[in-house]
Amino acid sequence: MRKLVVQEWMSLDGVVQAPGAPDEDTSGGFAHGAWSLPYFDQAAQEWVMRNLSDAGGFLLGRRTFEVFASYWPNASEEEQVIAEPMNTKPKDVASTTLTGPLEWENSTVLEGEVDQAVAALKAEGGGDLLVIGSTKLVHTLIDHDLVDEFRLMIDPLVLGGGKRIFRDDAQKRPLRLIDATVTDRGAILATYAPEKD
């Protein structure tokens, strides 16, 4: 069985909304887009590249999929090191509004209930599934105990509000630290695995 890995850029107070661009996601009046860019140094870039190159495929929510599908097929020459795995590896999309076939190569809409479809994907052979962004999808994956690892770039700033992957749901979810590195700019690159009962 392959692992399902959630990769997120996170503020110290747990916000994951719009880390990469000012207009990435302004919902809820969020005005701090691109907050993670000052911390995206060489170590962070290498971390991202390892995650992308090690992935057997990607699992994305609809909104993240649409943002990526409009960008990565047209990425600049210097971004091809990231664009190549994003464009060529399989992408499964959790959506109740999209229907196939999807234009972005190697993209498929999951059929049926998300938790059951993802459990079936995990049971297939191949490399790990990597989830990037996709906050609502991650909520569902956490609720159904489908996440095997959280790979978090925790930046040294507080945003005071915004979308989070860990909700205020009064559920205790112990995590075990697998790996951690502190970058020159003070970000923590941490991998956690849920503790299983």
Side-chain angles (χ1 to χ4, degrees):
M1 179 174 290
R2 57 185 175 168
K3 291 188 298 190
L4 189 147
V5 176
V6 170
Q7 174 190 290
E8 299 286 348
W9 289 260
M10 181 180 285
S11 68
L12 197 57
D13 57 341
V15 175
V16 298
Q17 185 171 354
D23 59 350
E24 182 179 347
D25 180 1
T26 58
S27 63
F30 189 74
H32 304 299
W35 52 268
S36 187
L37 295 182
Y39 307 101
F40 201 65
D41 62 6
Q42 185 68 31
Q45 291 173 37
E46 291 171 3
W47 176 78
V48 167
M49 285 312 307
R50 261 192 320 275
N51 289 336
L52 293 177
S53 62
D54 291 350
F58 303 101
L59 178 61
L60 304 169
R62 180 202 46 88
R63 189 176 188 292
T64 299
F65 171 80
E66 289 178 339
V67 170
F68 285 1
S70 68
Y71 186 83
W72 290 115
N74 307 303
S76 65
E77 188 61 39
E78 59 269 10
E79 294 173 310
Q80 287 306 306
V81 66
I82 294 174
E84 192 274 333
M86 293 299 298
N87 288 326
T88 60
K89 292 186 180 191
K91 293 163 284 290
D92 289 283
V93 186
S95 175
T96 56
T97 56
L98 292 177
T99 57
L102 300 172
E103 287 186 29
W104 193 14
E105 66 179 301
N106 298 319
S107 298
T108 307
V109 178
L110 289 176
E111 294 186 10
E113 296 297 319
V114 170
D115 59 319
Q116 294 171 15
V118 172
L121 282 175
K122 287 181 66 175
E124 294 176 358
D128 297 339
L129 290 169
L130 184 63
V131 182
I132 304 170
S134 307
T135 310
K136 288 173 73 173
L137 172 60
V138 173
H139 291 164
T140 300
L141 300 173
I142 291 171
D143 290 346
H144 291 278
D145 295 319
L146 290 165
V147 178
D148 298 295
E149 284 185 8
F150 293 96
R151 295 181 188 164
L152 308 174
M153 179 174 164
I154 305 167
D155 292 337
L157 83 161
V158 173
L159 293 170
K163 294 178 182 175
R164 293 172 166 84
I165 58 168
F166 301 113
R167 295 182 285 183
D168 294 331
D169 60 3
Q171 296 296 311
K172 183 173 79 170
R173 294 183 174 91
L175 303 173
R176 175 173 46 90
L177 182 65
I178 295 174
D179 185 50
T181 303
V182 179
T183 72
D184 291 340
R185 296 191 184 165
I188 300 169
L189 306 175
T191 301
Y192 294 94
E195 291 281 15
K196 304 293 183 181
D197 292 333

